[in-house]
Every structure is written in C-alpha cells, then in structure tokens.
Amino acid sequence: MRMKQNVSDKRETVDVPASFDVDSKNNPESSTASWKSVFYLCLALRMVNSLLVQTYFNPDEHWQSLEVAHRLVFGYGHFTWEWKRGIRGYLHPLLFAVLYKVLAFLHLDTPWIMMKAPRLLQSIFAAICDLYLYKFSDMIFGNQVAKWTLFSHLTNWFVFFCCTRTLSNSLETVLTIVSLYYWPCMRVSSGKMSSSSRRWALVIAALACAVRPTSATVWLYVAVLELLVASDRLKFVFLEAAPIGTAVLAITTLLDRMVYGSWVIVPLNFLKFNFLSSGGDYYGTHPWHWYFTQGFPLMIFTFLPFSLAGIIDSKHWKLSGLIGWVIGIYSLLGHKEFRFILPILPIALLFSGYSLAALEAPDLPLGKNKKASTTHTKWPVKLRLAVFFLLVTNIPMGFYMSLVHQRGPEDVMQYIARESLNGEVRSVLFLTPCHATPYYSAVHQNLPMRFLDCTPSEQRGTLDESDRFMLDPRGFATELAKNWSLPSHIVLFDSEERKLKEFLISQSFREVKRFFHSHFKVDRDLQSSMVVYMYTGW
C-alpha cells in the first residue's frame, strides 16, 4: 500500500523540543495560531458537551471527587470507606475544592451552578486533551491525519459521554495524551530530542499516576520503550525518572498528610487493595475477555474497523502495542469497568484518523504532503459514506446516553435541592443501591440524609446494607423503620417501589414526584424511573 511510505519519512529528527515540529520551526506563529484555533473550537464544543451531559454514569464521578471537595470546602459531605482506609489521594478532589472555594467567594454557589461548574471545569481539561491528540497525530502522521483524528475524537460517542465527567479517569486520560506527546520513544523515529521534552513527559506521567495509580500500567510500557531507544539510559533512569517520580510522590504524600492528618502512602494502599487482595472484585467480576469482546468495542463503537485499518496500514506498532498492552493487563483483573481503559481510547481514535485520511487522499503518502487535502474539492465517495456512517451511529448514541439513559439520579437531586431551598425537605432516606445518586455536592444543603452502606466487609461473604435491601426490600425496610429517624422524603427506584408500596402507604408516605430513568436494564432488573415519596403524617 502507498500508505506504508509515511513510516520511513517522518519529521521528528530535528534537534528541537518535542513541542515543535518542522512546521512550527519554519513558521512558529502560523503553527501557534493554528493550534489556538483548534483549542478554542474544542473548548467551545466541550463546554456545550458538558452542559448536555445530564445522566448518571458512575458513582465515582460524584463520590470520589465532588463529594470530597464539598466536604473540604463547606464542612459537610460524605467520605466513602476508601478515604477512611487511605486508598484515595486528595490531588484530584482539590481541583474541585478550589473551584468551590471560588464559587463561594463570589456567592455563586447555588445548587444548579454547583452541579454544572465542575463539568465546565472538566471541559477545559477535555479541550486540552483534544488539542494534544491533534498535535500528537500531526507530529507523527502529518496535518491531514491530525484533522481526521480530531474529527474522530470529537464525534466518538463515548468520549462525548465521558470526557467532561469529573472522574479521575477523565483527568488521567488528559494527562496520558499530553505526556505521550512529549515522549521521544513514541515517535516513529526519535532522533535527537531535547532533554526538556522527556522531563516534561515524566512530570506529567507522574501526575497521572498521582491522580490514578493504575496509570502506571501505561508508563511501564512507555518506560521500557524509552530504555530500548534512548542512548542515555543511565541519565534517563537516575537523573530524570527517579528524581521526578520521587519528587511528585513526596509532594502528593505531603499533601495527603496535610488533609488526612497522618502519613498515608496512597499508591501502596491502592496496590494492596486492588491488586494484592483483589478488593475490587467486591463490586463484581467479568470474564477475562470482557474488554476485548464487549468493553472496548462498545467504547470505540463504529470507529473500530477504521482504527484496525489504521493500525495495520500505519504500522506504528509501538503506539498500537500500547493499546494491546493496557487492555491485556486490565484483563487480568476480575473487576472491570469501561472507564478503566478510557486513556487508550483517544489513541485508538488516532488510528481511525489515519484510516479516514487515507480515504481522503488514497494516492498520496501521508505525512509528506500535509496540504494534500486542499487540492480535493470533493471528498471521494468512500470517505463521504464513512463520515455519514460514523455520524449517524455516534451522534444519536452520544445524545441518548448523555441526555436520556439513566438521568433519574441527577433529576432527583435537582428536585431535592430545589425543594430543600423552599423548606419542603427536612431529611432524605435513599432506599436504593448505595451511591446510586449524587449527594451533598448536588444538594448543597446540610440536610440529614442517609443511604444504604456498602463498605466491603473484612469477612468475605458478609452482606452489606445495600445487598440485604436488594434481596428483601420489604423485610429490610420493616426492620429499618423500627428505630429510624423518620425521614420527610424517601427516594427509590420503581423496581423496589413495587415491593414497598404497601409498606410506604402504611407509614403515611405518598408519591410526590416520579422521574424517568432508563428504557432498558443495566446489571439489575429494569429501573425505568426514580420515585420520591413524602411523609404526610406530620
């Protein structure tokens, strides 16, 4: 294939920092202006993206970041069991704590803004990820591929659905792409690289590990590659990697010491729980092949054949090998989630960009003539069909998952927040699986609230409150009512409401609001709506 020619003719051999390529050297002002235009476009799109995301995806989006930040700033909020065992670090929540502090100082901390502002902040990080993926692709394959890579990243449904959420995985993905851009070993031909480029790569990689220790999976692969191609291996290990890694670990450990009140080595505790003791299996396990057969194919969706074609045709095995390495390592763990492999999704979409660029200019070697696409006034039929196919499959999927599917928890908490401001809500009991809704960070009112606990027991096989409730809702609720502090409102899914309706009526509760949740079941029985009951026996 003609596309093979691009492998041997790359632009990374110039003796300049990795943040510059041939174009930026010859015309830095033009290149900077182009990158600024890309960033502003992405920023505008991601801000709209963040406002369109109105569904509930994973509890960690709220409970491991916003809830912690809310408690640090306002003095009330719930710390889950992970924080009591020192498994989580405070670096990520502190980003949102600073945001909350600013909102409070400006007297803008209304419940609605408190729910939207964190995702708007995350949209800035998401735009940075878009920009650096564009620059990374441009550096490796040229501007023609970079434009289609950006198209792929902006239109992929899962990126749209997840990138503006306040998950640690979302920030980890941003840091991963930025760091990969600076690594000399990830270029097809490393050549002579500025040492500052590699140091930047190490700093950002260390921060990614501080945000999420499992990010070390990516950097172990990259570090081995760097050792294989670098001519100054001793300098890399002893004068760069070791000092930078130690410095970041020391700073984040000191930060955790200040907040925890004692010395806590978060990466070590995280490793012990999730890898050495398989603690993550408490939340469910999947077969070893799940990421290969279900998880990643669903995330990349209809871009999959284009990405596979790009991997084969580009023959950039170092970069594509990273995808296989990460999926393979995570497949060894019993507990699996989509978000765990989010950092490699943009990389896979980069190869989709390569494939689409090849459809646009099939007779030109990619990477040589970066302005080749401008000579075509009309896209080839295959390209038009491909773009149409990708748009009609990904855009409806992205909108449905972001606006419709599982939006009940977000709507419920907005309702609770509004009613509490009006003095209608005195206390809330959540008879749902634990962490099924946002919490104080969404309500932003210091109400007495209670949810069913699901802290892992030291003794395997011991059922937590959430499990006991799901097994016997009526029996659990009856026992709970014997000594509860009577709530003014109860929130539950309709799947449990059917089993508890008589009990609720007998306790003088009546339905006051019902919110749509889902059209189809996920993990459990169909939970089509969330229902709010109010006590009427005052």
Side-chain angles (χ1 to χ4, degrees):
M1 295 184 182
R2 289 182 180 270
M3 289 179 290
K4 295 178 182 178
Q5 300 176 42
N6 77 298
V7 177
S8 60
D9 187 6
K10 296 293 180 258
R11 303 169 294 133
E12 299 91 343
T13 57
V14 293
D15 186 12
V16 295
S19 55
F20 294 92
D21 56 20
V22 170
D23 281 352
S24 62
K25 183 178 179 181
N26 295 334
N27 192 354
E29 292 183 2
S30 175
S31 179
T32 301
S34 174
W35 291 346
K36 284 183 178 180
S37 297
V38 169
F39 177 71
Y40 292 145
L41 170 65
C42 294
L43 181 59
L45 291 175
R46 290 308 180 196
M47 284 186 167
V48 173
N49 185 170
S50 71
L51 295 175
L52 288 174
V53 173
Q54 300 175 29
T55 54
Y56 195 78
F57 171 43
N58 186 279
D60 282 15
E61 177 183 4
H62 300 277
W63 292 82
Q64 303 298 353
S65 56
L66 303 185
E67 195 66 19
V68 177
H70 193 277
R71 179 162 176 171
L72 292 176
V73 175
F74 299 102
Y76 61 97
H78 185 82
F79 278 1
T80 60
W81 63 269
E82 290 98 329
W83 299 92
K84 299 170 184 176
R85 296 190 186 180
I87 294 176
R88 301 280 183 172
Y90 280 95
L91 179 61
H92 184 234
L94 281 174
L95 293 173
F96 302 103
V98 171
L99 173 65
Y100 285 160
K101 200 72 175 178
V102 171
L103 292 176
F105 177 77
L106 298 175
H107 302 290
L108 295 175
D109 55 324
T110 65
W112 188 86
I113 293 179
M114 291 289 289
M115 291 190 74
K116 300 300 181 183
R119 285 178 179 165
L120 282 169
L121 175 61
Q122 181 61 38
S123 71
I124 299 175
F125 300 136
I128 293 173
C129 183
D130 294 327
L131 172 64
Y132 271 86
L133 183 64
Y134 174 85
K135 293 172 68 174
F136 188 38
S137 181
D138 182 29
M139 178 184 65
I140 298 175
F141 296 126
N143 185 253
Q144 186 175 330
V145 174
K147 289 186 291 187
W148 285 108
T149 297
L150 185 61
F151 165 82
S152 301
H153 200 243
L154 291 175
T155 56
N156 173 262
W157 83 269
F158 195 83
V159 173
F160 183 90
F161 173 69
C162 198
C163 72
T164 61
R165 296 181 183 273
T166 54
L167 292 160
S168 59
N169 311 87
S170 300
L171 184 58
E172 176 197 7
T173 301
V174 178
L175 295 171
T176 298
I177 298 304
V178 175
S179 182
L180 286 175
Y181 173 75
Y182 286 106
W183 277 100
C185 66
M186 297 313 296
R187 301 153 188 254
V188 177
S189 176
S190 297
K192 295 180 180 180
M193 295 301 306
S194 167
S195 59
S196 64
S197 173
R198 191 166 64 189
R199 288 195 293 269
W200 272 115
L202 283 165
V203 169
I204 300 168
L207 288 174
C209 293
V211 169
R212 190 149 184 92
T214 49
S215 188
T217 303
V218 173
W219 307 119
L220 176 62
Y221 175 93
V222 175
V224 170
L225 283 184
E226 184 65 25
L227 285 172
L228 291 175
V229 302
S231 58
D232 54 348
R233 296 182 180 88
L234 292 178
K235 176 184 177 183
F236 168 63
V237 174
F238 295 106
L239 298 182
E240 294 179 354
I244 290 173
T246 301
V248 172
L249 177 61
I251 292 171
T252 54
T253 300
L254 181 61
L255 182 66
D256 290 332
R257 168 69 176 83
M258 293 170 62
V259 185
Y260 272 113
S262 59
W263 290 107
V264 176
I265 310 298
V266 170
L268 181 60
N269 293 340
F270 190 94
L271 177 67
K272 286 181 179 178
F273 181 81
N274 287 286
F275 292 90
L276 302 183
S277 67
S278 299
D281 293 357
Y282 181 82
Y283 293 106
T285 59
H286 297 78
W288 70 267
H289 56 77
W290 185 82
Y291 283 126
F292 291 99
T293 58
Q294 300 177 56
F296 195 64
L298 183 58
M299 293 167 66
I300 197 168
F301 203 41
T302 51
F303 284 95
L304 180 59
F306 299 94
S307 293
L308 291 175
I311 289 172
I312 294 170
D313 291 339
S314 70
K315 297 192 181 302
H316 197 307
W317 303 122
K318 290 187 291 187
L319 193 55
S320 58
L322 177 59
I323 300 174
W325 164 263
V326 170
I327 295 179
I329 292 298
Y330 277 103
S331 294
L332 299 177
L333 303 177
H335 181 60
K336 300 176 177 66
E337 295 185 33
F338 293 106
R339 62 192 178 94
F340 291 169
I341 57 172
L342 180 61
I344 63 169
L345 180 57
I347 303 171
L349 293 171
L350 184 153
F351 288 108
S352 174
Y354 186 99
S355 182
L356 291 171
L359 290 177
E360 182 182 10
D363 298 325
L364 291 172
L366 299 179
K368 278 189 174 183
N369 189 348
K370 296 193 288 288
K371 294 185 178 180
S373 62
T374 61
T375 63
H376 296 271
T377 58
K378 193 175 182 179
W379 287 350
V381 174
K382 287 184 178 180
L383 178 61
R384 281 182 281 164
L385 290 175
V387 170
F388 177 77
F389 170 67
L390 291 170
L391 291 178
V392 299
T393 50
N394 281 271
I395 290 179
M397 181 75 157
F399 281 164
Y400 177 79
M401 296 298 292
S402 300
L403 289 166
V404 180
H405 180 61
Q406 295 189 155
R407 66 172 295 144
E410 303 258 340
D411 290 339
V412 160
M413 298 313 286
Q414 289 184 43
Y415 171 78
I416 295 295
R418 288 195 305 270
E419 292 298 295
S420 64
L421 284 175
N422 297 329
E424 299 295 329
V425 179
R426 302 180 186 179
S427 58
V428 185
L429 170 64
F430 295 89
L431 290 180
T432 64
C434 74
H435 307 144
T437 67
Y439 213 48
Y440 283 108
S441 61
V443 176
H444 195 48
Q445 300 288 323
N446 196 5
L447 296 171
M449 297 199 296
R450 185 192 186 312
F451 66 94
L452 304 183
D453 183 59
C454 59
T455 301
S457 173
E458 297 292 340
Q459 299 179 346
R460 288 188 176 274
T462 303
L463 297 179
D464 56 42
E465 279 190 337
S466 181
D467 290 332
R468 299 203 310 272
F469 171 73
M470 297 303 293
L471 286 173
D472 182 15
R474 178 64 186 260
F476 182 91
T478 301
E479 189 67 25
L480 182 66
K482 291 179 179 178
N483 56 3
W484 68 8
S485 177
L486 190 66
S488 67
H489 289 72
I490 293 178
V491 176
L492 69 167
F493 286 105
D494 65 320
S495 54
E496 282 67 56
E497 178 206 17
R498 290 190 290 270
K499 304 170 185 176
L500 288 174
K501 194 160 189 175
E502 291 183 5
F503 166 80
L504 293 170
I505 293 174
S506 70
Q507 296 291 319
S508 302
F509 285 90
R510 66 176 178 85
E511 178 186 332
V512 291
K513 200 70 175 179
R514 184 175 296 263
F515 298 94
F516 168 80
H517 181 63
S518 176
H519 287 116
F520 52 89
K521 66 180 182 179
V522 179
D523 297 331
R524 301 180 176 89
D525 293 336
L526 174 63
Q527 298 168 326
S528 59
S529 61
M530 290 198 81
V531 194
V532 180
Y533 275 76
M534 183 176 72
Y535 182 68
T536 59
W538 301 113

